[in-house]
Amino acid sequence: MTQHFVPPQNFGYVEEDVFRSGLPQGVNFTFLEKLKLKTVVYLSPEAPSPQLLEFLADHKINLCHFQHHTRQSVTGTGSSVPEEVVLSALNIILDRSKYPLLISCQRGRHHTGTVVGCLRKLQRWNLTSILEEYRRHAGAKVINVNEQFIEFFDTDLVVVPQDKPKWL
């Protein structure tokens, strides 16, 4: 019998041992096993499925669930991840002892894209490249307030660990 490896929706490589995706489903578990994950950073107000929770427990994968409420923009045209959630998520993402690590939200677009965009800003990527990556994963569903959040994100608020990842 042939075994299939199906990555989660919007799966991507961020940096060595750091990945991003939409919420993994049962069909993705065989693929995720190959990553040998230690941590999943889940950015969503919704709870993960019981099936995912069981998979994570069975494989001793730590779940860091940021069960936040999104902020509506002033114009009502979108929402963004609260700054305190981005900062907390980045603290985990920068902790090498948590690798390999997956950053995830429902579809791997907006919440994940905002956190990864802020990580890219911390890495000193130029804004054009950061927003191109965000848009590539968001597709036709770009949320302008997320792009503005990334643009104005203050990287001085991030506590960079002494034993920082080599890509930072």
Side-chain angles (χ1 to χ4, degrees):
M1 183 164 110
T2 304
Q3 195 170 30
H4 296 281
F5 300 102
V6 181
Q9 177 183 16
N10 255 331
F11 180 81
Y13 175 91
V14 177
E15 289 294 342
E16 183 178 350
D17 287 332
V18 179
F19 309 94
R20 64 176 291 162
S21 77
L23 183 64
Q25 306 297 319
V27 69
N28 310 126
F29 294 166
T30 304
F31 176 85
L32 292 180
E33 286 174 352
K34 296 294 181 188
L35 299 178
K36 300 185 186 321
L37 294 173
K38 283 188 185 177
T39 309
V40 172
V41 174
Y42 180 49
L43 306 156
S44 177
E46 292 90 21
S49 70
Q51 186 182 23
L52 177 59
L53 291 173
E54 183 179 339
F55 171 81
L56 297 175
D58 289 349
H59 291 83
K60 297 178 178 43
I61 299 170
N62 183 37
L63 174 65
C64 300
H65 183 193
F66 292 96
Q67 197 168 6
H68 62 281
H69 294 286
T70 56
R71 289 190 328 250
Q72 274 304 114
S73 72
V74 178
T75 61
T77 57
S79 61
S80 182
V81 182
E83 183 176 64
E84 59 274 8
V85 170
V86 172
L87 292 169
S88 296
L90 287 173
N91 283 337
I92 293 167
I93 294 164
L94 296 177
D95 182 351
R96 293 174 48 200
S97 71
K98 309 274 190 226
Y99 297 170
L101 177 144
L102 176 69
I103 308 163
S104 183
C105 64
Q106 281 297 314
R107 292 185 177 80
R109 293 179 182 163
H110 305 300
H111 299 192
T112 298
T114 300
V115 169
V116 171
C118 292
L119 175 65
R120 298 306 193 196
K121 192 165 182 184
L122 191 62
Q123 290 179 291
R124 291 183 165 68
W125 279 30
N126 71 57
L127 185 60
T128 302
S129 297
I130 295 169
L131 296 181
E132 189 282 326
E133 181 180 47
Y134 172 81
R135 291 171 185 158
R136 188 168 7 105
H137 286 276
K141 308 253 184 198
V142 169
I143 297 178
N144 292 331
V145 73
N146 288 347
E147 292 184 339
Q148 291 170 344
F149 180 91
I150 293 165
E151 180 179 1
F152 295 113
F153 179 71
D154 184 359
T155 57
D156 289 338
L157 297 174
V158 179
V159 178
V160 177
Q162 201 166 13
D163 185 27
K164 65 185 179 185
K166 62 185 174 186
W167 41 260
L168 186 61

